[in-house]
Amino acid sequence: MATTDPSKYKLNHSMIRVKDPKRSVQFYEHLGMKLINKLENPDAKFDLYFLAYDSPKAVSHGNHWTDREGIVELTHNYGTENDPDYKVANGNEEPARGFGHLCISVDNLQAACQRIEEAGYRFQKKLSDGRMRHVAFALDPDGYWVEVIGQKKLEETESIKETDPATYRLNHTMIRVKDAETSLKFYQEVMGMRLLRESPHDTFSLYFLGYGPEASEAPDGVNPLARYEGLLELTWNHGTEKDADFKYHDGNSQPQGFGHICLSVDDLDAACQRFEEKGVQWKKRLTDGRMKNIAFVLDPDGYWIEVVQNEKLKTRANW
């Protein structure tokens, strides 16, 4: 009987829908990412673009796309680029709050933000805005938020004008959750992730989970997870768990935007059997529909989690 080891899973990618793939690919390439795969589906009238950090300095340089963490998948439905009324929901505005942002970590925070601004891209929050001077939020062409954090202390880089996008990481994906206790139990006990860092605040708490090792000590003022890729950040606004009517938007009901996160696993059939035994709620089992190489699990808030085979560990699909 096939077995599965959750410690071998990877948080492979996060999917967002885009209006114009040319503009979106150009933006993420400006952030230093590379188009590592494209899956065309002309019959169903959509294409998928997979971008990741792939320089020799990247964590997953040269790996098969299923054997990585920190990928962004752009989904383009044909014709949206010519529809003046088409607009994605970025997840940060009512009534579609749920998904929050992607995050990149960079070698030089000040220089990286200046480089993004000089390319003509907008910011939701610049480094100089507000009290938090160690974080910025750039806006991609569809208005999705992309957090920018530093891998070093600000004082170490403020006099340096250069930045090397080859050293960047797609650090994490943030989603809001209604009940932290329920979500943490799900992602740890069912999905096999580890809680790597907890950051409590007065009215909200942040939880960083992933499949990586425990974070080593970092200099004061530096996030010890900043050089990781493929983390999941859960944001819990205190009190939402007490409101029976409260619900976050999953990104797949209208208005659409964020689609899913995706795990690549060591043995797809065995992993799905394990999920079944854990009592998960399915959006799509492996046996449902025509696509037999993917499954979708629902997390406690209804976010979709795609599950695919890590093709380095076991060949299954001809992606």
Side-chain angles (χ1 to χ4, degrees):
M1 179 178 175
T3 59
T4 183
D5 179 0
S7 70
K8 295 181 180 177
Y9 297 0
K10 293 177 181 285
L11 182 51
N12 178 251
H13 71 255
S14 298
M15 185 276 266
I16 54 176
R17 296 172 177 88
V18 300
K19 177 184 175 83
D20 185 336
K22 290 183 180 179
R23 293 182 64 210
S24 295
V25 168
Q26 184 179 41
F27 171 81
Y28 288 100
E29 287 182 338
H30 183 73
L31 297 186
M33 305 183 88
K34 176 184 175 182
L35 184 65
I36 61 167
N37 193 30
K38 181 182 179 183
L39 298 177
E40 298 181 348
N41 296 274
D43 292 345
K45 298 185 177 180
F46 71 90
D47 292 338
L48 309 177
Y49 300 77
F50 295 84
L51 293 105
Y53 287 102
D54 196 46
S55 79
K57 299 177 182 179
V59 177
S60 302
H61 170 63
N63 288 16
H64 188 273
W65 74 269
T66 61
D67 187 40
R68 292 172 177 260
E69 296 189 291
I71 297 175
V72 59
E73 174 190 351
L74 309 179
T75 293
H76 171 235
N77 294 295
Y78 294 1
T80 55
E81 70 277 20
N82 300 317
D83 181 354
D85 297 323
Y86 181 83
K87 187 177 185 297
V88 305
N90 70 9
N92 292 300
E93 300 168 359
E94 296 295 357
R97 288 180 81 241
F99 167 75
H101 60 258
L102 302 173
C103 173
I104 62 169
S105 66
V106 301
D107 60 342
N108 183 332
L109 187 53
Q110 300 96 322
C113 288
Q114 183 176 347
R115 180 176 174 275
I116 295 169
E117 186 173 2
E118 288 176 350
Y121 295 112
R122 298 178 299 131
F123 280 77
Q124 177 68 25
K125 178 200 175 299
K126 296 182 179 181
L127 287 177
S128 56
D129 296 339
R131 291 182 300 170
M132 297 176 66
R133 300 302 172 95
H134 61 283
V135 60
F137 284 88
L139 292 172
D140 90 344
D142 286 285
Y144 292 112
W145 296 14
V146 179
E147 184 178 12
V148 189
I149 62 173
Q151 298 169 4
K152 301 176 182 177
K153 296 172 66 173
L154 285 175
E155 302 79 56
E156 292 182 21
T157 57
E158 60 186 353
S159 62
I160 303 172
K161 304 303 180 184
E162 292 80 28
T163 181
D164 180 7
T167 65
Y168 296 1
R169 306 278 188 262
L170 184 58
N171 180 253
H172 70 254
T173 296
M174 186 277 265
I175 56 175
R176 298 174 178 90
V177 298
K178 176 176 179 173
D179 187 323
E181 183 177 352
T182 300
S183 293
L184 286 169
K185 183 177 181 180
F186 172 84
Y187 281 103
Q188 291 177 95
E189 296 183 7
V190 180
M191 295 292 110
M193 291 183 177
R194 301 167 68 184
L195 179 60
L196 300 173
R197 188 183 187 209
E198 181 177 343
S199 180
H201 299 266
D202 290 342
T203 60
F204 66 95
S205 296
L206 310 176
Y207 305 90
F208 293 85
L209 299 104
Y211 295 104
E214 293 287 348
S216 56
E217 290 297 316
D220 289 341
V222 176
N223 180 342
L225 301 177
R227 292 192 63 81
Y228 282 53
E229 63 179 7
L231 299 178
L232 179 67
E233 177 188 355
L234 305 181
T235 294
W236 170 48
N237 291 296
H238 302 167
T240 51
E241 76 283 2
K242 299 174 184 177
D243 183 349
D245 297 325
F246 186 87
K247 191 176 187 300
Y248 282 118
H249 187 266
D250 65 9
N252 291 301
S253 51
Q254 295 295 337
Q256 292 184 323
F258 167 75
H260 59 259
I261 60 173
C262 175
L263 304 185
S264 65
V265 298
D266 55 348
D267 187 295
L268 184 56
D269 294 285
C272 287
Q273 180 61 38
R274 178 179 172 274
F275 294 147
E276 182 76 29
E277 293 169 356
K278 294 283 187 180
V280 302
Q281 183 178 352
W282 295 96
K283 180 67 183 179
K284 179 201 175 298
R285 286 183 167 86
L286 277 178
T287 52
D288 296 340
R290 292 183 302 166
M291 300 179 71
K292 307 300 184 184
N293 294 315
I294 61 171
F296 282 92
V297 173
L298 295 177
D299 91 341
D301 286 278
Y303 295 113
W304 296 16
I305 303 172
E306 185 180 16
V307 190
V308 301
Q309 176 65 47
N310 183 331
E311 297 286 328
K312 178 185 178 182
L313 301 179
K314 183 178 181 180
T315 302
R316 181 189 179 98
N318 183 26
W319 294 107

